[in-house]
Amino acid sequence: MLREIYILRGSEVLFWRQYGNSLKWEDIAPIFLSIIKTLENDTFSKKDTNFMTIGRYKITYISFLELNLFFFMITDLTDNDNDLQAQINVLKKEFLELFEEIIPTVNNPEIFESFNPIADKIHKDLRPKIALVGFSGVGKTTITRLIRAEEIPMTHVPTLTGEIVTVKIGKLFFNLWDFAGQESFSFLWPDFIKDSDAVLIVTDSQLKNIDESKFFIDLIKTEVPNARCGVIANKQDLPNAMPPEEVSRIFNLPAFGMIAVDTNNRAKMIKIIAEIMDISEQISPLLKPLIERDKEMEAAEKSLKEGDLLSAANHLTAVANLSFELGDDSEIGTELLNKANLLRQHLGISTGTDLSSSKNIPSREEQLEIQKIRKQIDSIETQIADLELQRQRGLISEAEYGEKTANLKREKEELIKKLKFQ
Amino acid sequence: MAVIGFFIFTWDSRTGTVLKSKFPTDINLSSDILMKIYQAHAYEEGGGFISLTIGALNVASYLIEDEKYYFSLLLSIEEDPDTYEDALIDAAKAVMNDLYEDRYVALLPSIFQRISIYPRLEYEQKLAMIYLDLEKRYILDRLVDDGSSTVTELLGWLKDKTNKKFIDIDSILSSLVKLGLVKVVSVKGLTSDSVFLIGDIFITRIPATSSIVQIKRYNLPEKIVNDYLDETRSFFAKYVPSIEDNEIICKAIVNPDVFKILKVLRMTPMTARGIEKMKRKVEDLNEAIKILWNSGLIRILKDKQGNEYYFLKSDIRIEKFFPSYLIDTIRKSYNNQTIANHVLIEHLNILKEEYLSNYHKKSQIAYAVEEVEFE
Ligand SMILES: Nc1nc2c(ncn2[C@@H]2O[C@H](COP(=O)(O)OP(=O)(O)O)[C@@H](O)[C@H]2O)c(=O)[nH]1
Ligand SMILES: [Mg+2]
């Protein structure tokens, strides 16, 4: 996965865009400088794409010495050199096309922000891949549906080939591979996880399945040694479900508890993937409220323990509001609000005067409406990404793609207008 | 429609199946169909031909492993996918050689047409197809000279001779085996299978006897009849089969429309009205007549009233025959010690078996079956 793009003029950063955690600037700056030095002196390779590996990251770079420009992409080791070479050339070409004329005179670096969409497209075109692995019936398809906010299957229909769909994590898109987990299809598994940027081992958290699923660790080690990896301890609602901490110890990998049949866990699931992919919270607007909500929840619990009921009530209100913002379907938000109000009543404080209401916060109904619209926009964006994947896979024609995306984009514009109005 | 569609896809480890082309362009192909075909190939391991059923459809599919290119045919359920093997592999080869720059896309309609008719081709036409396929013809030519060879030897030799990257020797041999032209056998002591020639192809023009006999029945001016007969006589007096001419007649006969008309003309000359009526039975009558004319197969004569008659100028014979000359080839190989004795003996035994089971009954001469074992 593409993590960062840097475009430098000499040692000055003209453009920077980040998609995931990566090398710190203090560490990367000296490397850039030494690369620039060699590129300036080396007349052989200055036109070519070069690669360098730093820890678990790969740096791809290319120069344009006429304008003293240097292009860098920091990615995972799982990215393929051919794809990287193609994309860094896109980066260079597009950048020069837009800015070649003005670069010598430009003094307002903000102008380069208009390059963001092209950078985002490069992220997408490197086709980051996440594979869900695990034996049949553990909940891989359910997780896929959960992330895509599609109807959750209540009965187990074994996946017989494999489904490849796009999912949106924050504002980033990934190809998610949900494959046939029946052992009779095990001959396909190596092909299916090949070139994954991340592999999620899904287990139903029962001892037997956990034990058997250790098999996938070896598979991952041989097929995609550089992929990021985590375990989903699914079906935490069932009796005897092993807690994620223990699962983590057994696999020696980060593990995350999950109840995939509960649609409220969508944001949580997305957060898990973001964590495994090491995507920073700044770049994903969806992740921020999630992390905040976790913090507020923790604070509320702490306050309750310490007997600070007012503070607990305020934290719970914040959690409720964040839940609305996140668009959880359930009544959890309402419930929490009620709880907060009960606490306040208990303390003899009027329920109408909580701290948050002093800010100009929209009413619950308004929030729900806004949330509904946001969800629709999200779903449209996923649909567009899906169409793009289908076009890449040759399943729809260029014309059909054009027509359908144009319609969806129009729909999205309408929704955005509505949102602004709200 | 028996053949519903022909399509080509590849595999990409990040996006899965990637459909490259399909014909007709409006066939509906879901990711599921492609994944199932991909999966069936993966199960077999390695490239090659497979057939499978997906829902209410049959599928024939061929994978060129090195390139990860899949060539698949969607068939209605009553079609036997295996009968399309040769046609599909030929199509794959045609596409592979024009793959870059997407030149093959323009060929897809004609490729599709050729595949669709393949299982209904008659034996004569299938032999003509083999003759027109250079790789197959080279193999046959080589075996006509040497009698036998091994698969690896043939592969290496063919690669040198054709300078081609994609040579699927197994599929080439398998189509020769199906038409009874070669036999592939594992012989003790050899690491590679042996390929023995057991049938040869004979291609020639012959005088169109029924046309000549029936010409009297029509009210044609004597001069026209005599001209026609003279022309035919002098043509056959000078006629020597050549590779170029063989190719012309093979190309004509593999066209299903041409073959349909030819089969009628073999029995009787046709009036212009009769030819016109063939319109209902063929795809493109004008094209077919043009090919027949340009290949020197028909002659159009006019009677006194100006009515037109279509006569065969020459007929075509394409046959498999028993290569008895191989006995001498084997004798030479024995004397020169170019091929191991036990391989030569195996070849003789195979030829004997082939003769007894496929040629003997047809032969006019009584043949006393002597149980001679070549040891
Ligand atoms: N109780 C419970 N059931 C689940 C959970 N996740 C999935 N399931 C059920 O498990 C079954 C198998 O799920 P599925 O996603 O098809 O499994 P897959 O074979 O791994 O794709 C379905 O009946 C789901 O409803 C969960 O968290 N808790
Ligand atoms: Mg499944």
Side-chain angles (χ1 to χ4, degrees):
Chain A
M1 183 191 93
L2 177 61
R3 300 197 158 262
E4 282 183 293
I5 290 179
Y6 284 93
I7 300 173
L8 272 67
R9 178 171 57 187
S11 57
E12 173 199 6
V13 178
L14 292 186
F15 178 82
W16 172 58
R17 189 135 173 98
Q18 185 181 22
Y19 299 99
N21 293 325
S22 128
L23 294 158
K24 284 202 221 71
W25 173 246
E26 305 92 270
D27 298 331
I28 195 76
I31 296 171
F32 283 171
L33 290 182
S34 84
I35 287 176
I36 289 171
K37 225 182 200 152
T38 27
L39 285 180
E40 281 170 345
N41 298 328
D42 181 358
T43 43
F44 279 116
S45 58
K46 66 181 173 193
K47 282 221 160 52
D48 300 328
T49 308
N50 295 285
F51 303 99
M52 179 190 264
T53 302
I54 306 283
R56 61 183 318 179
Y57 304 101
K58 180 148 61 181
I59 305 177
T60 308
Y61 55 94
I62 195 167
S63 63
F64 185 69
L65 292 181
E66 288 86 333
L67 283 175
N68 203 22
L69 291 179
F70 302 92
F71 301 82
F72 298 92
M73 296 192 333
I74 304 178
T75 64
D76 293 323
L77 296 177
T78 42
D79 285 288
N80 164 298
D81 285 357
N82 287 338
D83 294 346
L84 288 172
Q85 178 166 5
Q87 291 303 324
I88 199 150
N89 278 294
V90 170
L91 178 74
K92 178 177 166 181
K93 184 173 152 275
E94 297 277 346
F95 193 80
L96 288 176
E97 221 153 76
L98 278 173
F99 305 117
E100 186 166 7
E101 317 278 277
I102 63 161
I103 281 177
T105 54
V106 76
N107 46 21
N108 174 18
E110 265 161 41
I111 192 142
F112 297 116
E113 272 173 29
S114 60
F115 197 62
N116 285 347
I118 292 168
D120 293 356
K121 187 160 184 308
I122 290 175
H123 180 280
K124 208 171 177 181
D125 286 347
L126 280 168
R127 299 169 300 156
K129 169 176 170 182
I130 300 171
L132 294 176
V133 304
F135 288 105
S136 188
V138 293
K140 299 179 296 297
T141 302
T142 312
I143 289 172
T144 307
R145 300 281 166 80
L146 176 71
I147 303 170
R148 284 169 56 85
E150 290 170 346
E151 205 178 318
I152 299 285
M154 279 309 155
T155 52
H156 179 218
V157 180
T159 310
L160 289 185
T161 48
E163 266 180 68
I164 302 152
V165 293
T166 50
V167 293
K168 193 164 172 254
I169 310 291
K171 52 183 181 188
L172 306 181
F173 292 92
F174 292 83
N175 289 351
L176 181 74
W177 288 54
D178 166 23
F179 74 70
Q182 286 168 307
E183 268 179 86
S184 53
F185 292 119
S186 59
F187 64 92
L188 289 173
W189 297 348
D191 274 11
F192 269 54
I193 70 167
K194 194 168 172 270
D195 279 340
S196 298
D197 294 295
V199 184
L200 274 57
I201 302 174
V202 184
T203 152
D204 63 12
S205 306
Q206 301 296 310
L207 197 58
K208 182 167 171 286
N209 178 262
I210 287 173
D211 201 48
E212 288 169 353
S213 299
K214 281 189 277 185
F215 155 84
F216 289 106
I217 298 179
D218 287 334
L219 186 68
I220 293 166
K221 272 197 189 124
T222 45
E223 294 298 330
V224 274
N226 293 316
R228 285 154 204 273
C229 199
V231 186
I232 310 292
N234 193 30
K235 306 201 185 181
Q236 286 292 317
D237 55 320
L238 296 184
N240 302 324
M242 187 184 285
E245 299 74 32
E246 243 174 276
V247 176
S248 171
R249 225 169 0 88
I250 292 176
F251 282 87
N252 196 20
L253 283 171
F256 306 84
M258 179 46 49
I259 302 170
V261 279
D262 181 351
T263 51
N264 291 314
N265 285 327
R266 174 162 185 254
K268 187 176 174 196
M269 191 60 228
I270 288 174
K271 196 183 140 209
I272 292 171
I273 294 182
E275 197 166 329
I276 293 173
M277 285 300 300
D278 203 11
I279 298 172
S280 58
E281 56 188 271
Q282 291 85 343
I283 62 106
S284 171
L286 188 78
L287 298 176
K288 224 169 163 183
L290 254 177
I291 290 158
E292 265 171 37
R293 184 172 72 171
D294 280 0
K295 278 187 197 142
E296 290 289 347
M297 198 69 200
E298 239 170 69
E301 273 164 18
K302 193 166 156 249
S303 305
L304 273 176
K305 252 186 221 153
E306 288 167 357
D308 185 351
L309 294 187
L310 178 60
S311 149
N314 289 339
H315 286 305
L316 282 178
T317 310
V319 173
N321 285 331
L322 285 165
S323 293
F324 292 136
E325 199 182 325
L326 283 164
D328 279 355
D329 285 330
S330 73
E331 299 296 302
I332 287 183
T334 323
E335 228 169 78
L336 285 171
L337 261 188
N338 287 339
K339 248 181 215 159
N341 287 337
L342 277 176
L343 281 175
R344 289 199 186 89
Q345 263 171 16
H346 185 78
L347 292 167
I349 298 170
S350 141
T351 51
T353 57
D354 59 51
L355 286 177
S356 53
S357 69
S358 61
K359 285 186 259 161
N360 190 12
I361 278 184
S363 74
R364 216 191 118 222
E365 284 69 28
E366 279 169 343
Q367 274 196 342
L368 284 175
E369 181 59 26
I370 289 173
Q371 204 38 60
K372 213 177 94 198
I373 295 172
R374 283 215 183 119
K375 255 187 162 173
Q376 284 168 342
I377 293 176
D378 212 47
S379 139
I380 287 175
E381 283 174 348
T382 308
Q383 283 175 54
I384 292 175
D386 261 349
L387 286 171
E388 199 168 315
L389 178 65
Q390 283 182 34
R391 186 190 53 150
Q392 271 174 20
R393 301 183 70 197
L395 295 170
I396 54 170
S397 68
E398 211 62 42
E400 196 178 348
Y401 168 80
E403 190 184 328
K404 283 188 172 160
T405 44
N407 284 340
L408 285 169
K409 278 180 183 154
R410 218 170 300 128
E411 229 175 282
K412 187 177 146 187
E413 291 306 314
E414 290 296 311
L415 288 169
I416 288 174
K417 258 188 235 153
K418 243 189 191 169
L419 202 59
K420 281 187 184 142
F421 183 68
Q422 285 270 351
Chain B
M1 236 293 238
V3 183
I4 296 163
F6 171 59
F7 51 97
I8 303 164
F9 67 98
T10 59
W11 176 259
D12 178 286
S13 56
R14 284 178 182 268
T15 38
T17 55
V18 179
L19 184 67
K20 287 288 177 188
S21 261
K22 58 179 177 177
F23 190 87
T25 45
D26 59 355
I27 46 165
N28 216 346
L29 293 170
S30 65
S31 142
D32 197 50
I33 288 179
L34 302 190
M35 290 294 273
K36 284 200 168 111
I37 298 172
Y38 164 78
Q39 187 170 308
H41 277 290
Y43 188 72
E44 293 291 324
E45 284 183 16
F49 178 85
I50 58 162
S51 56
L52 63 154
T53 301
I54 300 176
L57 296 170
N58 274 331
V59 173
S61 187
Y62 180 66
L63 161 64
I64 295 183
E65 161 105 293
D66 293 347
E67 305 287 309
K68 281 264 173 222
Y69 262 84
Y70 298 75
F71 300 84
S72 310
L73 270 185
L74 218 51
L75 304 165
S76 56
I77 197 83
E78 38 334 311
E79 284 294 310
D80 175 6
D82 292 334
T83 58
Y84 288 88
E85 178 173 354
D86 287 353
L88 183 59
I89 293 170
D90 284 346
K93 275 195 270 182
V95 171
M96 281 321 280
N97 290 323
D98 266 327
L99 194 61
Y100 305 101
E101 296 160 29
D102 288 352
R103 263 179 308 179
Y104 69 93
V105 177
L107 305 176
L108 286 182
S110 66
I111 288 177
F112 180 78
Q113 158 75 3
R114 241 183 297 154
I115 297 174
S116 310
I117 56 157
Y118 187 80
R120 283 170 242 332
L121 289 184
E122 296 194 11
Y123 190 72
E124 233 177 318
Q125 291 175 293
K126 285 187 178 167
L127 288 177
M129 296 265 274
I130 298 255
Y131 190 82
L132 290 174
D133 185 313
L134 263 193
E135 292 167 15
K136 292 176 188 167
R137 199 200 301 169
Y138 284 153
I139 294 283
L140 284 178
D141 285 350
R142 159 106 198 231
L143 291 173
V144 164
D145 288 344
D146 294 355
S148 65
S149 184
T150 65
V151 175
T152 11
E153 211 178 297
L154 287 176
L155 176 61
W157 174 79
L158 196 57
K159 270 193 176 154
D160 277 353
K161 187 157 174 83
T162 58
N163 240 331
K164 272 190 187 160
K165 268 206 304 188
F166 322 105
I167 290 205
D168 184 346
I169 191 74
D170 291 333
S171 78
I172 291 175
L173 291 174
S174 130
S175 78
L176 297 178
V177 167
K178 273 194 213 146
L179 294 187
L181 296 169
V182 306
K183 201 159 182 169
V184 181
V185 191
S186 137
V187 177
K188 247 188 250 156
L190 293 183
T191 45
S192 169
D193 282 353
S194 289
V195 184
F196 295 113
L197 188 71
I198 57 169
D200 196 352
I201 304 178
F202 172 70
I203 302 174
T204 187
R205 290 180 192 257
I206 51 167
T209 35
S210 76
S211 276
I212 293 167
V213 170
Q214 295 195 38
I215 201 159
K216 304 257 151 58
R217 273 181 35 197
Y218 299 89
N219 186 19
L220 295 170
E222 203 163 321
K223 183 171 173 339
I224 290 183
V225 173
N226 286 339
D227 282 355
Y228 167 69
L229 291 177
D230 280 349
E231 199 186 318
T232 309
R233 214 173 286 124
S234 68
F235 175 78
F236 278 101
K238 277 183 284 178
Y239 171 68
V240 184
S242 68
I243 292 178
E244 293 74 32
D245 191 54
N246 285 352
E247 282 177 348
I248 290 173
I249 52 189
C250 284
K251 270 183 196 144
I253 207 176
V254 295
N255 179 308
D257 289 351
V258 168
F259 193 59
K260 265 182 208 152
I261 299 171
L262 181 76
K263 271 177 23 187
V264 180
L265 287 176
R266 273 174 175 172
M267 296 181 290
T268 169
M270 285 167 87
T271 60
R273 249 186 62 219
I275 288 281
E276 197 59 26
K277 274 190 191 155
M278 289 296 289
K279 231 180 192 147
R280 272 175 285 150
K281 294 190 182 152
V282 300
E283 299 262 330
D284 189 343
L285 182 67
N286 287 339
E287 177 66 17
I289 297 293
K290 208 170 104 195
I291 294 174
L292 281 164
W293 181 267
N294 290 339
S295 314
L297 291 167
I298 52 166
R299 188 81 157 79
I300 302 166
L301 305 179
K302 269 190 193 147
D303 70 7
K304 284 165 189 155
Q305 283 79 44
N307 300 317
E308 284 183 349
Y309 297 89
Y310 289 69
F311 284 85
L312 263 196
K313 195 170 139 190
S314 78
D315 195 358
I316 297 172
R317 179 165 291 166
I318 301 180
E319 278 180 352
K320 183 178 76 166
F321 69 98
F322 183 73
S324 21
Y325 58 80
L326 282 182
I327 309 294
D328 194 46
T329 312
I330 291 171
R331 185 185 61 80
K332 279 184 191 141
S333 299
Y334 174 77
N335 285 339
N336 304 336
Q337 301 195 332
T338 43
I339 296 174
N341 284 355
H342 70 286
V343 177
L344 294 174
I345 289 167
E346 181 76 33
H347 197 176
L348 284 173
N349 281 327
I350 287 173
L351 283 172
K352 186 187 121 191
E353 197 183 299
E354 175 70 11
Y355 185 82
L356 291 180
S357 54
N358 290 328
Y359 296 87
H360 169 51
K361 280 170 217 114
K362 282 181 239 153
S363 111
Q364 300 289 343
I365 318 145
Y367 180 82
V369 184
E370 271 179 73
E371 275 307 306
V372 194
E373 277 296 325
F374 301 102
E375 290 293 348

